Structures are given as structure tokens and as C-alpha cells.
Amino acid sequence: MVKRDKRDKNSKGKSGGARRGKRGPTMAEQADRHALYEAAVQCVEAEIDFVDDEFMRLRGRRARYLREDFCGTGNTSCEWVRRRSDNYATGVDLDEEVLGWGQANHVAALTPAQRKRIALVHDDVLEATTPLQDIVLAMNFSYWLLKERRLLRRYFRRVLDALNDDGIFFLDCYGGYDAFRELKEKTEHDDFTYVWDQASYNPVDGNLLCHIHFHFPDGSKLKRAFSYEWRLWTLPEIREILAEAGFRRTTVYWQGWDEDEQDGSGEFLPVTRADADAGWICYITAEK
Ligand SMILES: C[S@@+](CC[C@H](N)C(=O)[O-])C[C@H]1O[C@@H](n2cnc3c(N)ncnc32)[C@H](O)[C@@H]1O
């Protein structure tokens, strides 16, 4: 189903049973779950390409100030400050452990000049107060952690208030009939297998429990490296709540299809109608 699956939460990684003993640590024991997560689900260059180009198309100017909500390791924020020498980024996340990892592995690798233009902030997105932004991002479905309409509207309202007058909020969303099923989906990478596990879905309240597992060529496993308790929001609900929060216009961007590759083209274009596919992923812009 969803090709660009991305998620993260505060769960601890567990090493699965595998050959070990005299042969030393297993691949799972040596693995870094944040590095695996980024390799499996993120493509920050493509994401920033889309956000940067779409802001320019809609506003006729380049954005400079970007806030990445639910930033995790801050990988996307780092890409933003690398892009142009007058770009500034603020990442906000509740989890000190993941922020520390991002600081040590991404921020530390920036040039001193780039480092001056980024801040990773330990805060709740429902409480954080930041300077006015051109762009706010909520990617990899992180806002699905806000399971009640009232709470989601409150968060959207906070984002609206954090934006400049011509600011734009970018979100992503996934869906399709497979999104409502309990299933496991494996994606092979060079040195690990990424497993997206939709463990349970309750149609009565729309709550969804998902896990990410990683399997390795030596047979070892990192089970439940990340777990997510989400509300499976649908596109019309999200757009209605954005409008209730005060956003003037929302647009949905659907991925094109590459006939040669028989896969998503990676290009996202505005749509008002789309196919009832088994699994899809899209971007949303919400304009102030
Ligand atoms: C799925 S990850 C998203 C990582 C990143 N945005 C990406 O695109 O891959 C979700 C992150 O949201 C953070 N988080 C959860 N609730 C939060 C809140 N109320 N305020 C700020 N961060 C929160 C978690 O600590 C976690 O790092």
C-alpha cells in the first residue's frame, strides 16, 4: 500500500531472536533504529523540492522560515537550511531522545553557518510558540496522534497563528481501502527489510495501531522499532477541520503514475478527483 510509509514514536526497539553467541552481536543488535527509519520512509530532498516549489508557485516568492512539527530527528529541517543561505528552520518534537539523536547526527554535520539557522526545540506542538513562519510542515501523518476532532482543530489553529499572512501549512495523508485492513507489508532494502504492520483497526472509533519492524539478512529482527496509536483520518475530515480552524483554502496533491516503472511517478499535482485505489498517499496545502 503506502509507498512512502513513515512513522515514529517513543517505543523502544527490541531485538528479535536470532543467531548470536560466539559469532558476536546480531545485525539487529547493532542497528540504529533512527537511521533505519530514515532510510526506509524518508526522502527529505524530494519533500523539500515539493514544498519549496509549491510555495513559490502559490506565493510568487521563495519561503525562508520553515517550522517542522513532529520533527523527530530534524532531518527535513536540516535539508531546508542546506538549500539556501537565507533559509531558517525550527523543528519541534516532544521526545528528547530523538531530538538528541538528530542534534548529534544531523545538526552536528551541518556547516557552522547552517547550524546558526536551525533550532530543534523540545516542546509540544499544541503549546509551542515560535516566530512567524512562511511554512509549517506536519509530515508522515504525525498529526494523526491527535485523535479527537477538537484536539486536531486546536492544533490546526495553533499552526494558523504561527504562520505569516501568506504562510502555507503542508501536511501529508494516506488512505485507500487497504488502510482500513489489518495487514503486514514488506519492502526490501539493500541490507534490511522494512515491515509496515497495521496491527489493529477499530471501525467504531477509527483508532489504528501500527508498528514498524526491521528484519535483517542474518535472521535477526528489530520488532516494534516504532509503534503508533493513531486516528485514521480521512481527507474530507482533515479538510473540513482545516477550514473550521480558519484556513482559507486547502488543496490536495495526488501522485502521478509512471507507466514504464508501473509505480508512482514521485510527482504530486493538484486534483479535485482521484482513483479509489487500494493505497494512496497525498500532500495537502492549507493556505492562511
Ligand atoms: C512519525 S514521527 C515523525 C517524524 C518526522 N516528522 C518524519 O517526517 O518522519 C512522530 C514524532 O512526533 C513526536 N510527537 C508526538 N506527539 C507530539 C507532540 N504533541 N508535540 C511534538 N511532537 C510530538 C514524536 O516524539 C515523534 O518524534
Side-chain angles (χ1 to χ4, degrees):
M1 43 123 291
V2 180
K3 195 77 209 228
R4 206 180 101 261
D5 292 330
K6 318 176 175 186
R7 14 248 131 174
D8 176 347
K9 213 192 146 196
N10 303 335
S11 61
K12 296 279 175 273
K14 279 196 241 157
S15 300
R19 299 178 299 257
R20 45 162 101 193
K22 287 177 198 145
R23 273 180 279 187
T26 64
M27 291 179 82
E29 284 164 344
Q30 294 177 81
D32 180 326
R33 69 188 186 119
H34 295 303
L36 290 167
Y37 170 90
E38 290 183 353
V41 308
Q42 286 191 328
C43 182
V44 294
E45 295 84 359
E47 196 141 278
I48 289 297
D49 281 349
F50 172 76
V51 161
D52 201 21
D53 291 350
E54 204 48 36
F55 188 92
M56 178 70 189
R57 194 182 71 79
L58 289 167
R59 296 298 185 239
R61 70 174 181 93
R62 285 283 176 208
R64 290 179 66 197
Y65 298 95
L66 175 145
R67 187 176 97 189
E68 183 189 7
D69 283 351
F70 311 98
C71 70
T73 62
N75 200 12
T76 311
S77 294
C78 288
E79 180 60 18
W80 182 251
V81 300
R82 276 194 297 267
R83 271 306 152 100
R84 278 188 299 278
S85 60
D86 57 353
N87 276 1
Y88 289 77
T90 306
V92 180
D93 200 285
L94 256 188
D95 181 1
E96 276 185 300
E97 188 265 333
V98 72
L99 288 174
W101 193 97
Q103 197 71 38
N105 290 276
H106 291 314
V107 178
L110 296 172
T111 66
Q114 291 164 347
R115 271 202 295 277
K116 285 190 185 140
R117 293 183 282 106
I118 185 168
L120 299 187
V121 179
H122 178 221
D123 210 339
D124 185 331
V125 296
L126 291 167
E127 306 289 336
T129 309
T130 50
L132 287 177
Q133 305 290 322
D134 295 323
I135 290 174
V136 173
L137 303 180
M139 295 299 191
N140 268 318
F141 331 112
S142 313
Y143 61 97
W144 288 5
L145 289 158
L146 305 169
K147 294 196 231 169
E148 291 164 34
R149 199 178 178 99
R150 181 185 51 83
L151 216 53
L152 191 58
R153 189 170 47 226
R154 201 170 108 206
Y155 167 57
F156 287 168
R157 182 77 218 179
R158 298 280 308 178
V159 174
L160 187 78
D161 290 343
L163 286 168
N164 278 319
D165 288 347
D166 66 345
I168 303 180
F169 182 30
F170 288 78
L171 311 82
D172 57 8
C173 178
Y174 80 85
Y177 49 87
D178 273 353
F180 297 87
R181 292 174 56 206
E182 293 171 354
L183 53 74
K184 280 198 180 92
E185 185 184 75
K186 292 186 178 178
T187 308
E188 298 296 334
H189 289 256
D190 286 348
D191 42 8
F192 66 91
T193 303
Y194 162 74
V195 184
W196 174 244
D197 178 3
Q198 290 175 183
S200 82
Y201 173 70
N202 179 355
V204 176
D205 58 17
N207 285 355
L208 174 71
L209 173 66
C210 298
H211 309 290
I212 288 176
H213 318 289
F214 297 105
H215 297 178
F216 300 92
D218 67 353
S220 61
K221 295 177 178 174
L222 199 56
K223 291 184 183 167
R224 299 190 179 189
F226 300 95
S227 295
Y228 307 102
E229 287 176 41
W230 281 343
R231 165 81 179 265
L232 183 54
W233 290 103
T234 63
L235 266 179
E237 289 172 310
I238 295 163
R239 298 183 78 190
E240 282 165 13
I241 300 168
L242 286 164
E244 285 166 19
F247 284 94
R248 198 169 46 78
R249 182 166 73 150
T250 60
T251 306
V252 171
Y253 298 73
W254 215 252
Q255 188 168 194
W257 184 251
D258 186 325
E259 281 298 337
D260 296 338
E261 298 289 329
Q262 284 297 297
D263 203 352
S265 66
E267 192 185 8
F268 288 81
L269 294 171
V271 293
T272 51
R273 245 206 105 76
D275 293 337
D277 290 334
W280 47 259
I281 182 159
C282 71
Y283 284 114
I284 308 168
T285 54
E287 295 174 56
K288 187 161 177 173

